[in-house]
Amino acid sequence: MCRGVQHPIRGLFLRSYLAQISRDKLPDIGSEYEGDADSVMDAVEFVLQNFTEMNKLWVRLQHQGPGRVREKLEKERSELRDLVGKNLHVLGQIEGVDLGMYKDAVLPRVLEQIVNCSDDLAQYYLMDCIIQVFPDEYHLQTLETLLGACPQLQPTVDVKTVLSQLMERLSNYAASSTDVLPEFLQVEAFAKLSSAIGRVIEAQVNMPIVGAITLYVSLLTFTLRVHPDRLDYVDQVLGACVKKLSSKPKLEDQRAKKQVVALLSAPLEKYNDAVMALTLSNYPRVMDHLDNETNKVMAMVIIESIMKNYTCISTADQVEVLFELIKGLIKDLDGTAADELDEEDFNEEQNSVARLIHMLYNDDPEELLKIICTVKKSIMKGGPRRLPFTVPPLIFSALRLIRQLQSQDGDVAGEEVPATPKKIFQILNEMIESLSAVPSPELALRLYLQCAEAANDCGLEPVAYEFFTQAFVLYEEEIADSKAQVTAIHLIIGTLQRLNVFGVENRDTLTHKATGYSAKLLKKPDQCRAVYACSHLFWVDDQDGIKDGERVLLCLKRALRIANAAQQMANVTRGNSGPVTLFVEILNKYLYFFEKGNPQITSAAIQGLIELITTEMQSESTAPNAASDAFFASTLRYIQFQKQKGGAMGEKYDSVKV
């Protein structure tokens, strides 16, 4: 009957019924009809013949009926495919089919039928069936035969999915036990898969670029799972991808870009070590084919990997390769207009680069200096928008190196450019100058003061003086905003107070400048606060620190005069003189120097100031203010507390009446 019925659908169901009822009657090992090897071969022959005939009927289905019902027929065919696949399932379950029989009789016959039927739906489905039905070790041992059929399939067949599934099964097989790994090496699985993919891509001329890249992603995933120790294999896959991409200068297809990002991310995720990626020669070459936007995405992936795994990049050569990889974030690539950049994204990218710079480190000062110079060379090309993000972290790396050299005492000799603090300070000066040209004067000023402090710790007076001079020049010429001036002058005073490297002359010049600028601030309260802050410049609490009581008193008296003027101005403009906060702040400075033992600050002066504040607060022209009242009250409580405590300090306060 099977031979007689030639109607495709009826024939399929009839043969499917035959396969079903004969399933448990096949002569197989362990069945009641068990026979020798020959009779197992008969069983295989019977199933193969049924499979061949069913496949022919199935393929013939598409040629039935007129063109307008073709789509409906396609749907029907797709639903009937399981009937054909069942035969392969039966073959897979015959115990007597060992590797030898599968290799010599089963696979060649099935593949021959698949290739000859020249139907894309049948070819795709049956190739998938083979991969799913037969054991992994059979696939591994017959890899060449199986892969040999792939380039012969119809150009419309989705070979990439077939191959991807095969590689996934094999890599799961490799992961299941370490004992099977020698088999993979023995059959040269990687080389065979690699050349098969190459042949498929060549054979399918119309395969879109995304298809080819997807194949390489699957091959790379297979390689990383089966041969994680073989970096040369990883590089080979990337090389093949570069070759495929070389026909296109830049990728346009969105899906293809995603696949390239997946391809480049895979080694980073596998090894958790971006340094590995730096050793792959084809890695940057693949990145070059990405458009600017995707290039940046990939650069961020690399930086995130370094951050997440705390990878330390420790040689100048590695840094050079790394910065070549992330060049999309470091400078404007050709064709990117500055106004296209989204402000928030741009800031996030640059902050990531800044964090990355902190991860570059080496214990050897020579190598660290080389790293700093390499980074400097790269970031200086970044343009004015990037420098405020990238220069500060590099400066702090250099300052860390200076501290390191300082702790080692003496210069490290040996190289042609020894890493000496003086040499590094020259580099620092150059970098900060580039910032003041941006212009970013407030940031540059802060960095000059940081460098001055480092020079102070190294005992380099001329260098520290030079950095201070630069800070003052910036203050004079670049910082015009009154709020910024207040912040800057307090930073200058605070830094200067901590430095002890200056001789009398240099220190006098700098303190004179600082007090001069303080008195020239725009608002009177700001002037007053800056001037009383300057008093600390003349009284440094170290053993050999400066202790000039006269000048301290002068500063405080000047601050009082300014506070008085501020009150009068407020009186004229507002009709009341505002709170007495400034006087209370000056009183607190008086108490500080009084306790430190400044002979010029007497208890009588403190008494006078308390009375002045009390009178001011009772005056009708003073506006009541809860904050300044509380401040004054707690100051008086402090004096009271010191008196009650007794001892030397209590005696000093005795004459102050509260």
Side-chain angles (χ1 to χ4, degrees):
M1 271 185 78
C2 285
R3 287 184 180 163
V5 177
Q6 290 301 303
H7 183 283
I9 295 183
R10 289 179 197 145
L12 268 175
F13 276 104
L14 192 56
R15 284 189 173 275
S16 172
Y17 177 66
L18 173 67
Q20 201 175 332
I21 58 160
S22 61
R23 200 167 171 171
D24 54 354
K25 305 195 172 37
L26 296 171
D28 186 14
I29 297 165
S31 83
E32 57 184 291
Y33 306 102
E34 183 175 357
D36 54 11
D38 287 345
S39 51
V40 171
M41 194 62 222
D42 292 339
V44 170
E45 190 60 47
F46 172 76
V47 179
L48 277 174
Q49 197 177 349
N50 199 34
F51 161 70
T52 308
E53 292 302 326
M54 281 181 83
N55 193 39
K56 284 177 183 169
L57 288 167
W58 187 47
V59 171
R60 201 186 315 148
L61 239 183
Q62 69 166 328
H63 304 300
Q64 303 285 309
R68 62 178 178 279
V69 293
R70 187 70 45 86
E71 201 173 303
K72 185 175 165 225
L73 281 171
E74 274 296 301
K75 194 166 177 250
E76 272 180 18
R77 273 193 70 207
S78 191
E79 287 165 1
L80 292 170
R81 61 189 180 181
D82 286 357
L83 299 177
V84 186
K86 267 183 190 159
N87 290 290
L88 294 179
H89 196 65
V90 172
L91 272 176
Q93 288 181 327
I94 297 178
E95 294 286 336
V97 177
D98 58 4
L99 179 59
M101 195 182 287
Y102 174 76
K103 201 172 187 174
D104 300 335
V106 178
L107 186 64
R109 289 273 298 279
V110 176
L111 287 177
E112 182 188 4
Q113 178 56 33
I114 292 173
V115 172
N116 290 344
C117 75
S118 300
D119 174 68
D120 51 356
L121 181 64
Q123 288 184 338
Y124 173 69
Y125 171 65
L126 295 173
M127 285 298 283
D128 192 34
C129 266
I130 293 178
I131 292 167
Q132 303 304 336
V133 167
F134 294 105
D136 297 324
E137 59 191 291
Y138 285 17
H139 293 324
L140 194 55
Q141 297 301 331
T142 56
L143 204 50
E144 209 157 345
T145 320
L146 189 56
L147 294 172
C150 289
Q152 298 172 46
L153 302 177
Q154 294 295 309
T156 46
V157 175
D158 184 6
V159 186
K160 70 173 190 301
T161 310
V162 174
L163 283 169
S164 298
Q165 284 175 338
L166 174 63
M167 287 188 272
E168 192 176 341
R169 272 206 73 160
L170 289 175
S171 45
N172 288 339
Y173 178 49
S176 65
S177 155
T178 47
D179 305 340
V180 297
L181 283 176
E183 287 180 41
F184 278 85
L185 295 167
Q186 194 184 346
V187 299
E188 295 180 332
F190 172 77
K192 284 176 184 169
L193 284 165
S194 185
S195 69
I197 286 172
R199 288 202 302 278
V200 166
I201 290 171
E202 269 173 46
Q204 298 204 352
V205 191
N206 298 328
M207 183 191 276
I209 192 93
V210 63
I213 298 167
T214 308
L215 275 174
Y216 287 126
V217 172
S218 300
L219 179 59
L220 186 64
T221 312
F222 168 81
T223 310
L224 291 171
R225 286 185 70 182
V226 181
H227 306 291
D229 50 336
R230 295 295 297 266
L231 273 176
D232 53 331
Y233 284 177
V234 176
D235 210 24
Q236 235 172 295
V237 179
L238 295 174
C241 194
V242 170
K243 200 169 158 194
K244 179 66 189 164
L245 291 170
S246 58
S247 55
K248 294 182 175 295
K250 288 274 186 268
L251 278 173
E252 300 298 330
D253 179 9
Q254 226 28 61
R255 289 174 314 156
K257 290 181 205 169
K258 269 191 176 156
Q259 287 299 329
V260 173
V261 171
L263 181 82
L264 293 171
S265 307
L268 296 177
E269 284 165 20
K270 174 69 186 172
Y271 297 117
N272 288 336
D273 182 5
V275 176
M276 284 283 202
L278 304 182
T279 58
L280 301 167
S281 59
N282 288 310
Y283 202 92
R285 292 170 64 197
V286 177
M287 275 190 81
D288 285 343
H289 288 285
L290 291 171
D291 64 317
N292 297 343
E293 206 42 54
T294 322
N295 200 309
K296 283 185 186 177
V297 170
M298 197 55 232
M300 287 293 277
V301 170
I302 293 171
I303 293 178
E304 275 160 25
S305 162
I306 292 173
M307 294 296 153
K308 194 173 86 182
N309 302 301
Y310 297 103
T311 313
C312 184
I313 317 283
S314 55
T315 72
D317 297 341
Q318 285 175 350
V319 171
E320 201 156 340
V321 178
L322 174 64
F323 274 63
E324 181 56 33
L325 286 181
I326 61 164
K327 63 183 174 201
L329 301 178
I330 287 172
K331 57 183 181 188
D332 292 328
L333 296 172
D334 309 333
T336 312
D339 51 359
E340 281 174 26
L341 299 169
D342 175 58
E343 188 69 33
E344 210 171 298
D345 289 350
F346 178 79
N347 291 353
E348 192 186 334
E349 286 166 6
Q350 295 312 308
N351 282 326
S352 292
V353 175
R355 284 203 294 276
L356 173 69
I357 293 172
H358 286 299
M359 303 292 284
L360 314 174
Y361 184 68
N362 194 313
D363 287 330
D364 172 33
E366 299 297 334
E367 194 57 45
L368 188 51
L369 182 60
K370 279 186 195 163
I371 290 175
I372 289 169
C373 293
T374 309
V375 176
K376 173 175 166 264
K377 195 169 71 185
S378 293
I379 64 172
M380 285 306 170
K381 299 172 189 163
R385 286 187 66 190
R386 288 182 177 82
L387 289 178
F389 291 94
T390 50
V391 167
L394 189 57
I395 283 177
F396 283 102
S397 288
L399 290 174
R400 179 165 64 172
L401 172 58
I402 288 171
R403 304 261 195 254
Q404 193 182 327
L405 288 169
Q406 191 191 328
S407 65
Q408 287 176 1
D409 290 337
D411 303 338
V412 182
E415 300 255 345
E416 63 280 5
V417 186
T420 65
K422 275 184 186 160
K423 166 98 182 109
I424 301 164
F425 279 126
Q426 286 165 8
I427 297 171
L428 286 171
N429 197 23
E430 200 180 315
M431 285 195 285
I432 304 175
E433 267 176 15
S434 70
L435 264 187
S436 39
V438 167
S440 187
E442 286 119 1
L443 179 59
L445 181 127
R446 284 166 185 271
L447 294 172
Y448 275 134
L449 295 176
Q450 287 284 351
C451 293
E453 212 165 326
N456 171 74
D457 295 347
C458 295
L460 298 169
E461 185 183 359
V463 179
Y465 188 79
E466 177 55 32
F467 280 124
F468 246 101
T469 312
Q470 301 274 27
F472 276 128
V473 169
L474 271 183
Y475 179 85
E476 262 177 34
E477 295 177 1
E478 302 289 341
I479 300 179
D481 177 61
S482 61
K483 275 188 181 169
Q485 282 186 336
V486 173
T487 309
I489 199 70
H490 280 285
L491 281 171
I492 288 172
I493 295 167
T495 310
L496 186 54
Q497 195 254 346
R498 286 198 297 277
L499 306 195
N500 53 14
V501 71
F502 296 121
V504 177
E505 196 177 320
N506 281 346
R507 191 177 177 88
D508 268 2
T509 311
L510 295 173
T511 44
H512 183 68
K513 270 281 181 204
T515 43
Y517 287 136
S518 302
K520 284 183 190 154
L521 290 170
L522 180 65
K523 296 177 183 169
K524 289 285 181 199
D526 291 340
Q527 274 184 29
C528 172
R529 290 186 174 108
V531 167
Y532 73 57
C534 286
S535 62
H536 288 281
L537 296 175
F538 306 109
W539 194 276
V540 181
D541 225 23
D542 298 342
Q543 289 160 334
D544 52 353
I546 303 139
K547 290 193 169 67
D548 187 341
E550 290 266 341
R551 304 276 291 274
V552 170
L553 188 60
L554 278 173
C555 275
L556 295 178
K557 281 184 170 171
R558 191 173 185 184
L560 262 176
R561 279 202 303 279
I562 298 170
N564 236 331
Q567 294 282 65
Q568 283 163 7
M569 276 173 72
N571 221 339
V572 172
T573 51
R574 295 200 200 102
N576 65 36
S577 53
V580 291
T581 313
L582 287 174
F583 290 118
V584 185
E585 286 172 21
I586 296 167
L587 170 62
N588 275 275
K589 288 289 166 205
Y590 265 88
L591 295 179
Y592 171 82
F593 289 112
F594 180 61
E595 288 185 12
K596 291 290 178 197
N598 181 341
Q600 306 296 324
I601 307 289
T602 59
S603 53
I606 292 171
Q607 187 71 56
L609 196 47
I610 292 172
E611 283 161 14
L612 169 75
I613 295 170
T614 314
T615 316
E616 276 289 328
M617 286 173 85
Q618 287 160 357
S619 147
E620 285 174 15
S621 66
T622 306
N625 181 289
S628 51
D629 291 355
F631 187 12
F632 183 51
S634 64
T635 307
L636 295 182
R637 272 203 306 280
Y638 174 76
I639 296 172
Q640 197 68 48
F641 167 71
Q642 290 291 12
K643 287 170 76 164
Q644 285 166 0
K645 203 166 69 169
M649 194 56 75
E651 281 173 24
K652 284 185 82 168
Y653 274 109
D654 254 356
S655 53
V656 181
K657 303 278 182 290
V658 182

